[in-house]
Amino acid sequence: MSLAFVRAAVAVLLLVFAAGFTPHLARAAEPILVEPDVKALDLTHAVEYRRDAGNSIQVSTAPGPDGVVRRIEVRAKGIDPNPSWVVFSLSNQSDLQLDRLIVAPHFHLVGSRVMWPDLGASRIAAITPSSGFAPERQTSQDSDVFLVTLDPGTVVTFVVELRTRDLPQIGLWEPNAYKDSVNAYTLYRGIVLGISGLLALFLTILFVVKGSMMFPATAALAWAVLAYLCIDFGFWNKVFAVGSGTDQLYRAGSEVMIAVTMVIFLYAYLNLNRWHVRYSHVMLITLLALTGLFALALYDPSITAGIARMVLAALGGIGFVLIVALALRGYDRAIMLVPTWLVFLAWLAGTGLAVSGRLVSDLAQPALAGGLVLVVLLLGFTVMQHAFAGGAITQGQVDDSERKALALTGSGDMIWDWDVLADQIVTSAEAEESLGLKRGRLEGPARDWLDYLHPQDRERFKATLDAVVETRKGRLSQTFRMRAQDGHYQWFRLRARPILGSDGEVIRCVGTLLDITDMKLAQERLLSDAIHDNLTSLPNRELYLDRLASDLARAKVDNQRRPAVFLIDLDRFRQVNETLGLSVGDTILLTLARRLGRLVKPLDTLSRLEGDRFGIVLVSEQASDRLAAFADTVKRAVRAPIVVGEKEVFLTASIGIAVPDTDDKEARTLVQDAEIALAFAKKLGGDRIETFRPALRIMSADLTALEQDLRGAINKGELTVLYQPVIRADDRSVSGFEALLRWNHPRKGSIPPAEFMPIAVRSGLVAQLGLFLLDRAARQLADWRDHLPFGDTLTMSVNLSNRQIFRHELLNEVKAILSRTGLPRDVLHIEFSEGLLMESPEFSLQMLVKLKELGAGFAVDEFGMGFSSLSYLQRLPPGTLKVDQNVLRSSGRHRQALLRTIASLAHDLELELVVEGVDRAVDLEEVAGLGADYLEGYLFGSPMSADEVRKLMEKAKKAVAKVAPVAIPDAPLRVPERVPGASAAPVGVGEAASGPPAA
């Protein structure tokens, strides 16, 4: 056995013994070959970590040229009692002495992580070699740099004491190559910093010049990016005396500032406050939260930077969705921002890959820094493009004359200038274009210009011009008609003022000319809708009474022209609607209107008063026999068959006639007499003609007494309000209630609305009853929302009559009620009939818009029971459509198709759909697949008092075990006991009564 073999065996035993009994003794690291012509080596993944070794470590060196493994012990030189250690070995097999630099950057973006990122620090406290001189630390602001010397043919093991737990990057550089690399990056960083600084300065100057909010927001983002780059490039440490590796606070603050300024830029550029106030609330909350991160950065910069990175990533996604949504709506700012935001999303993706360690490259960090400057540059170009395209350029400072010129341009008015001394009128080209005239036709002397005015307006306009010139004061304010090229006249409004010369005389008149033809037509249409029936174009009840009053006034002068009142009411017309459909019913009404129109003469008046009731003021006939003959002619005209499609419809009518017996007879009194005669004809079975006589008034004495009792019912507390549940169709939970009025008469007991509501309409009490119901329901809803379980989810619907809707005081009353009760928006719903919308569509639409502005919702009730116009339905603001229960009850073979069509129409018009009359289980099955939003009917509950509603909600609270919203149990919703007077179906003000279905 040779001596060399013995020595080797002893060495192996010693190594095994050391490995078994020395806890911190490490094996020799594999040496890394250092070649003279290799300029740089990445040692990041070649080093071995020794954590939790304490303040000293024992390391077995890599075998030297003689194959001997030595053991060294290194003690910590830093202040950390338990530092992390890194061990690696370098081998120089050449015959040259090699000088190399060990470089560990303080901050390395690659692998720095999204949450709790590594924000940089001094990495190496000391390096101990196994042989030779200790490495010399070189001066550097952004890295730990040590100079080591490797002798020829040596293997040196280095033990590195770390100041941090990890070492993101460590490399071995040839000194000159490292110097060249530093110089190259310094040049690149200088170019990037220069571009970023110039961009921030330029945007700041642009803000001073233009004064638009988007410019300071963009400038703030540019300054935040510049601050971040100064910290990342180490420029911050050179300007401010910041210790090496201690800039974590500034780096975290700069990342937070980028997120803050990006949020501000998106809000300011897209002008989000114009779309919805909630955008402003979200932006304010976000800014407050991000501002709070600055305080958190003082405590833990790493957590702060992680949150800022997550916010920036979320902002990229949310901003993209918002930009695309606004771009699809045609918003030009959002459209111009789409390309830049796509670049920003690409930059976010690259940054995410880098910080997560998936993109490993030395070029990643400088490339992403340059990409961030590119994003800011593109944002600046986008802002400039919008500014010079006319978006913000006009927001600069203008003088008073320019402001007036801009205001005139924005108003759309045309210029009108009359040079009095030269008698020359000049107008804008728009006036001639509007009239279809050639350019210059309206320019010239006043006498030629006046030839285009309507003959009835010429003298009045000329007199006004002469008065202004003579009095040398005042203003021109005239509306007149001008003839267009096609012969039609258009309305214009002129507003001008005289300008005096030095001698006090008028030298010219200057003002504006505005085409108001559309406004005049709208006024005429509003006037026509207010006094005419929309279906038949006949005069409505108000115009009928007005003409009757005029005829009565003329009869006082000419006793030979006494008017007679005819009221024609169709018998069993409701059944025609239910069996043949509403469209057939409307066709029948149009046919009868034409037939009756052929019977009357120019002096007479034919009117559609309501529903299937027509009225005639007959002046052309005076003799009693002629009146009877005319009534018989009307009766035969109604009884003539009406052909609808392939069917013949036969109708009869009851006719009530009233003739004034005194000269002081009023129009309403005469109509009431005719109504008494008509009611008597109806009581005798219909298809009769009855003339009013005083004996019939005795029969109406009870109705008069009932009217007097109704006048005092409110003050005496005889009127009560019941509440019909409204159910959500999706989960069968209580959405709200419909307020229903009931009258508990002290002698006659409960009187259904079908009896007292017509009395209220005739006597004019319907407005007072409606206000009582509206106020009581609103107060009750406010109390429920404050005290009932799940009360904050409830709504309240109140049905008002047509006459109350037409009152201008309704807006002030609703405003006062909402102010007193403090109800939020869209929880108090005003219901009106479909017939109201068609009776006066323009006025109705204006009332609905104003009610929505006040905070009240609305619902179109009895839909499907009248004549509808899709052109007006599509102009409705967001609200509710209520399908009348008679549509559900109809027995036509197209009933399901009609229901599906109504449901589809409601959803397409963005109206919520309520189906009324769901009184049986079969009704619920009928509407199950329609997509209705809400259901209402006796299947879910009868009208109930406020106390019973409270008990119901308390019971529902227990049933659902405190889970909102209030869910309906498996059994249909029922009140504990039937409320007195609730035997009829829900009837509000202006509704018709109908009982529940038979069992």
Side-chain angles (χ1 to χ4, degrees):
M1 188 177 294
S2 64
L3 182 59
F5 177 80
V6 173
R7 289 179 177 176
V10 171
V12 172
L13 290 175
L14 289 174
L15 288 174
V16 173
F17 181 82
F21 292 92
T22 306
H24 304 302
L25 186 61
R27 297 180 180 179
E30 291 293 333
I32 301 171
L33 181 61
V34 181
E35 299 179 356
D37 56 344
V38 176
K39 303 300 181 182
L41 288 174
D42 187 4
L43 307 179
T44 305
H45 301 290
V47 301
E48 298 182 9
Y49 284 90
R50 303 288 185 267
R51 296 186 176 93
D52 301 325
N55 61 353
S56 65
I57 184 173
Q58 295 181 1
V59 178
S60 295
T61 65
D66 55 359
V68 177
V69 177
R70 296 175 177 82
R71 186 175 64 184
I72 61 175
E73 181 177 359
V74 180
R75 294 187 177 274
K77 299 178 181 179
I79 60 175
D80 191 350
N82 187 23
S84 295
W85 303 84
V86 166
V87 179
F88 62 92
S89 300
L90 300 179
S91 173
N92 180 12
Q93 301 298 329
S94 67
D95 54 359
L96 300 175
Q97 187 181 55
L98 301 178
D99 290 334
R100 292 292 185 268
L101 295 177
I102 299 175
V103 181
H106 292 167
F107 176 74
H108 191 54
L109 181 65
V110 175
S112 62
R113 300 183 300 274
V114 177
M115 294 302 298
W116 288 279
D118 187 342
L119 298 179
S122 177
R123 303 295 179 177
I124 299 177
I127 299 179
T128 303
S130 61
S131 62
F133 296 101
E136 299 178 5
R137 181 183 289 273
Q138 306 297 304
T139 302
S140 178
Q141 289 288 338
D142 57 0
S143 301
D144 292 321
V145 182
F146 292 85
L147 176 63
V148 298
T149 302
L150 301 177
D151 294 327
T154 59
V155 177
V156 182
T157 300
F158 295 90
V159 180
V160 181
E161 179 188 350
L162 300 180
R163 286 195 174 105
T164 59
R165 186 169 180 82
D166 297 318
L167 188 62
Q169 186 181 38
I170 184 171
L172 188 68
W173 286 82
E174 194 275 327
N176 291 328
Y178 180 69
K179 182 179 180 181
D180 293 340
S181 175
V182 170
N183 291 337
Y185 277 120
T186 301
L187 177 61
Y188 171 77
R189 291 170 178 173
I191 294 174
V192 173
L193 283 177
I195 296 174
S196 180
L198 288 175
L199 182 60
L201 185 61
F202 173 74
L203 291 173
T204 303
I205 296 174
L206 194 63
F207 157 63
V208 175
V209 174
K210 301 302 179 185
S212 175
M213 183 180 176
M214 71 177 73
F215 293 115
T218 313
L221 177 61
W223 284 112
V225 171
L226 179 61
Y228 172 80
L229 294 178
C230 288
I231 296 171
D232 190 57
F233 292 168
F235 186 72
W236 188 271
N237 300 338
K238 297 177 182 179
V239 177
F240 303 97
V242 180
S244 176
T246 60
D247 56 353
Q248 295 93 339
L249 175 62
Y250 302 102
R251 189 179 299 278
S254 64
E255 293 186 9
V256 173
M257 184 56 68
I258 291 177
V260 170
T261 53
M262 185 62 79
V263 172
I264 296 175
F265 167 79
L266 196 63
Y267 175 80
Y269 178 78
L270 294 179
N271 200 12
L272 295 181
N273 59 332
R274 66 172 283 188
W275 299 101
H276 203 285
V277 69
R278 292 181 181 174
Y279 287 130
S280 301
H281 295 162
V282 172
M283 192 276 296
L284 181 60
I285 294 173
T286 304
L287 288 182
L288 291 176
L290 292 176
T291 305
L293 291 181
F294 288 107
L296 181 61
L298 299 174
Y299 171 73
D300 193 332
S302 180
I303 295 178
T304 303
I307 296 176
R309 293 181 180 184
M310 293 295 293
V311 169
L312 199 60
L315 180 63
I318 296 174
F320 180 73
V321 173
L322 185 61
I323 291 169
V324 171
L326 295 180
L328 293 177
R329 299 176 65 174
Y331 190 35
D332 56 344
R333 292 193 184 186
I335 294 173
M336 289 189 291
L337 192 59
V338 169
T340 303
W341 207 260
L342 291 176
V343 175
F344 177 59
L345 291 177
W347 180 85
L348 286 176
T351 305
L353 293 175
V355 298
S356 62
R358 299 179 183 179
L359 178 61
V360 181
S361 175
D362 290 338
L363 298 177
Q365 188 165 342
L368 291 174
L372 184 58
V373 176
L374 176 62
V375 170
V376 178
L377 185 63
L378 292 176
L379 291 177
F381 285 159
T382 304
V383 171
M384 289 299 300
Q385 180 184 5
H386 175 77
F388 289 105
I393 196 70
T394 59
Q395 297 181 8
Q397 299 296 326
V398 296
D399 58 22
D400 187 63
S401 60
E402 291 175 337
R403 186 175 292 107
K404 290 181 179 179
L406 290 174
L408 180 60
T409 303
S411 66
D413 291 0
M414 296 166 281
I415 298 175
W416 185 85
D417 181 16
W418 178 34
D419 187 343
V420 178
L421 298 181
D423 192 17
Q424 187 77 10
I425 292 179
V426 177
T427 62
S428 299
E430 292 85 352
E432 295 159 334
E433 293 176 359
S434 177
L435 294 172
L437 303 176
K438 295 182 179 179
R439 184 73 180 98
R441 295 295 296 273
L442 293 181
E443 297 181 1
R447 60 179 179 275
D448 296 340
W449 193 83
L450 294 178
D451 290 340
Y452 289 94
L453 267 66
H454 193 279
Q456 297 179 1
D457 299 332
R458 292 173 186 171
E459 292 300 324
R460 175 171 54 88
F461 187 76
K462 185 177 182 300
T464 304
L465 292 182
D466 294 340
V468 170
V469 174
E470 292 175 2
T471 59
R472 296 184 293 278
K473 61 181 180 180
R475 290 178 179 269
L476 279 173
S477 181
Q478 289 282 316
T479 57
F480 47 81
R481 290 158 288 182
M482 297 189 69
R483 187 180 68 254
Q485 183 66 30
D486 57 4
H488 292 86
Y489 284 91
Q490 297 183 15
W491 283 92
F492 288 87
R493 181 178 63 197
L494 173 63
R495 290 180 177 177
R497 61 179 297 179
I499 298 177
L500 304 180
S502 58
D503 57 354
E505 297 295 329
V506 177
I507 59 175
R508 67 191 319 126
C509 288
V510 180
T512 59
L513 192 66
L514 180 64
D515 187 347
I516 59 171
T517 304
D518 292 339
M519 184 177 68
K520 280 290 185 179
L521 292 178
Q523 291 177 353
E524 293 175 0
R525 187 164 56 249
L526 282 173
L527 180 60
S528 177
D529 289 343
I531 60 177
H532 287 86
D533 174 55
N534 188 260
L535 174 62
T536 62
S537 298
L538 294 176
N540 62 9
R541 186 183 188 91
E542 298 301 326
L543 183 57
Y544 178 81
L545 292 174
D546 181 74
R547 291 186 178 179
L548 177 58
S550 300
D551 291 334
L552 288 173
R554 282 192 293 269
K556 294 179 181 180
V557 179
D558 184 4
N559 196 33
Q560 301 301 319
R561 294 291 183 181
R562 302 176 67 85
V565 173
F566 285 71
L567 295 185
I568 303 105
D569 191 277
L570 302 181
D571 299 325
R572 294 178 295 278
F573 185 72
R574 186 185 186 94
Q575 286 81 349
V576 174
N577 274 335
E578 292 177 353
T579 55
L580 300 181
L582 303 178
S583 60
V584 173
D586 292 340
T587 302
I588 293 174
L589 292 176
L590 286 169
T591 303
L592 291 177
R594 287 193 295 268
R595 288 183 181 179
L596 296 176
R598 289 192 291 266
L599 300 180
V600 298
K601 297 180 179 179
L603 291 178
D604 305 326
T605 299
L606 172 63
S607 169
R608 184 190 176 199
L609 301 180
E610 56 187 3
D612 58 344
R613 179 170 295 185
F614 293 87
I616 297 177
V617 178
L618 191 66
V619 183
S620 58
E621 302 290 349
Q622 297 295 315
S624 299
D625 57 338
R626 298 299 298 169
L627 293 179
F630 179 82
D632 188 64
T633 303
V634 170
K635 183 178 178 182
R636 284 187 281 105
V638 174
R639 297 185 65 177
I642 301 174
V643 180
V644 180
E646 299 178 355
K647 297 182 179 180
E648 287 187 344
V649 180
F650 295 89
L651 293 174
T652 60
S654 299
I655 302 175
I657 306 174
V659 179
D661 51 0
T662 60
D663 291 339
D664 58 350
K665 202 75 168 183
E666 294 184 355
R668 292 187 181 274
T669 304
L670 194 59
V671 171
Q672 289 176 358
D673 292 345
E675 288 177 344
I676 293 174
L678 178 64
F680 187 71
K682 285 282 189 182
K683 281 189 175 182
L684 296 179
D687 193 19
R688 294 175 59 88
I689 301 173
E690 290 291 338
T691 303
F692 173 78
R693 51 193 181 276
L696 297 180
R697 188 174 286 114
I698 300 176
M699 301 176 57
S700 63
D702 292 341
L703 297 179
T704 304
L706 200 61
E707 177 182 336
Q708 296 299 325
D709 293 341
L710 182 59
R711 291 184 182 275
I714 298 178
N715 298 330
K716 295 178 182 179
E718 298 174 3
L719 294 175
T720 60
V721 181
L722 301 181
Y723 304 95
Q724 176 82 18
V726 179
I727 307 303
R728 294 186 181 89
D730 52 359
D731 58 1
R732 306 292 172 78
S733 61
V734 178
S735 168
F737 294 87
E738 179 179 0
L740 309 173
L741 195 61
R742 296 293 185 267
W743 182 15
N744 296 320
H745 196 278
R747 297 186 306 275
K748 299 182 179 181
S750 178
I751 301 178
E755 294 184 14
F756 71 80
M757 284 310 303
I759 299 175
V761 172
R762 288 195 300 268
S763 62
L765 293 174
V766 65
Q768 187 177 359
L769 295 181
L771 180 60
F772 169 79
L773 177 63
L774 186 63
D775 182 72
R776 181 67 62 87
R779 292 177 183 272
Q780 188 62 68
L781 179 61
D783 178 70
W784 285 346
R785 292 179 68 89
D786 291 338
H787 301 97
L788 280 187
F790 318 118
D792 55 352
T793 64
L794 297 179
T795 61
M796 182 71 73
S797 300
V798 180
N799 191 295
L800 299 182
S801 71
N802 295 4
R803 295 200 176 183
Q804 187 170 9
I805 292 291
F806 280 125
R807 293 172 61 249
H808 291 281
E809 295 82 359
L810 177 63
L811 296 176
N812 293 330
E813 292 168 354
V814 172
K815 182 178 180 181
I817 290 173
L818 292 176
S819 177
R820 285 197 303 268
T821 57
L823 291 174
R825 296 184 65 86
D826 295 332
V827 299
L828 181 63
H829 297 170
I830 307 297
E831 294 188 5
F832 64 96
S833 66
E834 177 193 19
L836 169 65
L837 180 62
M838 295 300 101
E839 181 179 345
S840 183
E842 293 292 341
F843 182 80
S844 302
L845 289 174
Q846 290 186 11
M847 289 292 293
L848 292 182
V849 172
K850 292 179 180 179
L851 286 173
K852 290 289 288 185
E853 292 175 355
L854 292 178
F858 77 91
V860 180
D861 196 11
E862 300 178 2
F863 187 78
M865 294 302 296
F867 179 79
S868 298
S869 173
L870 297 181
S871 62
Y872 286 109
L873 285 179
Q874 66 182 354
R875 294 169 56 186
L876 289 176
T880 304
L881 204 64
K882 301 187 71 172
V883 179
D884 190 85
Q885 60 181 349
N886 291 302
V887 179
L888 190 63
R889 293 283 176 273
S890 62
S891 58
R893 58 191 180 92
H894 300 298
R895 179 183 56 183
Q896 271 293 328
L898 178 61
L899 290 172
R900 285 194 299 269
T901 302
I902 294 176
S904 177
L905 174 65
H907 295 152
D908 290 342
L909 296 178
E910 298 182 356
L911 299 173
E912 294 183 330
L913 184 65
V914 180
V915 178
E916 296 182 305
V918 184
D919 300 331
R920 304 165 298 181
V922 66
D923 298 333
L924 185 60
E925 297 176 359
E926 194 80 21
V927 301
L930 295 180
D933 300 291
Y934 303 97
L935 305 175
E936 186 176 350
Y938 274 84
L939 182 64
F940 307 107
S942 303
M944 59 189 69
S945 65
D947 292 336
E948 289 170 332
V949 170
R950 186 179 303 275
K951 294 177 182 179
L952 173 69
M953 301 299 284
E954 293 288 349
K955 181 179 179 181
K957 175 183 177 182
K958 298 178 181 179
V960 299
K962 301 181 180 181
V963 177
V966 181
I968 300 176
D970 294 337
L973 181 65
R974 296 290 181 183
V975 295
E977 298 177 2
R978 179 166 295 278
V979 181
S983 59
V987 178
V989 176
E991 287 185 312
S994 60

